[in-house]
Amino acid sequence: MAEGQQESARTVLLALAANLGIAVAKIIAAVLTGSASMAAEAAHSVADTFNEVLLWVGLRRSGRPADRRHPLGHGKERYIWTLLVAVAIFGMGALFAFYQGVETLLGHHDGEADPLAGYIVLAISFVLEAVSWRQAVRQVRAAAREEGLPVLAYIRGTDEPTSISVLLEDSAALLGLLLAFCGLGLHQLTGSSAWDGAGSVLIGVLLTAVALVLGRINLNLLVGRQADPRLVRDIRRRLAAAEEVEWVADIVTVTFGTDRVLVCARLDFRDALTAGDVERACVRMDRELREAHPEVDEVFLEPVPRDDPELRARVVGRYGRIAPPPPEAS
């Protein structure tokens, strides 16, 4: 298992252990207090525990090597399992929180019992969630530094959704605990269960937002997103600098797994080259790109004439313009 994947596995396992203990404690507290906010938080932790199992399965299955039926490997399978996490957060957590909140606001729940057990469980849960959250933050910050990006930019552009999922889940858990505490406290102070119901509804809104963000991230990765623009620019620069290449007509890059990029480039080679020269140049450029960028997993180079009208139309249709040829050497 690669170092980055091992770090993701540690993050997931720590979150799984924390969420499992927290879920049991919250269920007991929800039964003892009768609090809608606590019940919503219990459902939240049950969903998070289930989600960590999904993330672990995704890590294991996506790391399998390529084979005859899957020549590009199983890297995208991680995105499927992380997308299921987003569905579970909404289906198991948010909808139950909305249900509990609305039921309480409509007056269908009995009065709240002594909330002391709820306060104790919330305090312990906050500490445990903070430990898991700190590990997720540490991993995301380290990955962002390695990529030379601010944390928010890394989250928006990453192809490694596992640690992001744990970070978003734990962040939502900490905010949810604060909402549940406010719901419990205001209910106790005012005697009105509406505050408790409102806390549960807000937890549902929070979980829905997290589910939408995770779903959007993984949807983009599943559809097939271009590699990091900095990587694409460097690949174009290296190909254009090759002495055998007259013009880089087109470059297509696709992320098909964590730190796995497919590169397809159409190159106008110099007319004086023989077929053997072109073959050797392609082999050399393939090797140089892989050495410069370990995330480049597959490279396909196609010789084309730059003035082919069909090719020009396809490039213009995709990008809206044709990249200018490099300046002539003086």
Side-chain angles (χ1 to χ4, degrees), residues 94-131:
L95 291 181
F96 185 80
F98 283 131
Y99 171 77
Q100 287 289 319
V102 171
E103 285 283 292
T104 301
L105 290 172
L106 293 178
H108 295 166
H109 280 180
D110 295 333
E112 185 179 85
D114 184 2
L116 178 60
Y119 293 137
I120 294 174
V121 168
L122 288 174
I124 296 174
S125 299
F126 194 91
V127 173
L128 294 177
E129 289 286 5
V131 172

Side-chain angles (χ1 to χ4, degrees), residues 105-284:
L105 290 172
L106 293 178
H108 295 166
H109 280 180
D110 295 333
E112 185 179 85
D114 184 2
L116 178 60
Y119 293 137
I120 294 174
V121 168
L122 288 174
I124 296 174
S125 299
F126 194 91
V127 173
L128 294 177
E129 289 286 5
V131 172
S132 176
W133 178 83
R134 183 179 179 183
Q135 164 66 14
V137 169
R138 187 180 69 82
Q139 182 184 356
V140 170
R141 282 181 173 173
R145 283 196 301 268
E146 186 176 338
E147 296 289 334
L149 293 171
V151 173
L152 289 179
Y154 172 78
I155 291 175
R156 287 195 297 267
T158 184
D159 58 6
E160 204 294 283
T162 303
S163 59
I164 303 301
S165 299
V166 176
L167 176 61
L168 291 177
E169 285 180 4
D170 288 347
S171 299
L174 291 174
L175 291 174
L177 289 169
L178 294 176
L179 291 172
F181 181 85
C182 291
L184 275 173
L186 290 172
H187 186 179
Q188 183 182 17
L189 289 173
T190 65
S192 172
S193 62
W195 291 106
D196 192 29
S200 182
V201 170
L202 288 175
I203 291 171
V205 172
L206 175 65
L207 295 180
T208 300
V210 171
L212 290 174
V213 171
L214 276 180
R216 179 62 180 271
I217 290 173
N218 287 278
L219 177 62
N220 289 337
L221 291 169
L222 282 169
V223 168
R225 190 173 61 189
Q226 178 185 257
D228 187 329
R230 296 173 301 173
L231 173 64
V232 178
R233 287 194 295 268
D234 190 67
I235 289 174
R236 178 179 291 276
R237 180 186 64 79
R238 290 176 181 275
L239 293 176
E243 60 181 1
E244 299 91 347
V245 175
E246 199 164 283
W247 186 40
V248 179
D250 189 18
I251 293 181
V252 176
T253 60
V254 178
T255 298
F256 64 96
T258 300
D259 291 331
R260 302 189 68 187
V261 176
L262 172 69
V263 177
C264 300
R266 295 186 173 99
L267 308 174
D268 183 8
F269 287 91
R270 300 191 182 280
D271 294 338
L273 298 178
T274 66
D277 293 334
V278 172
E279 291 170 352
R280 285 186 290 273
C282 288
V283 171
R284 190 193 75 249

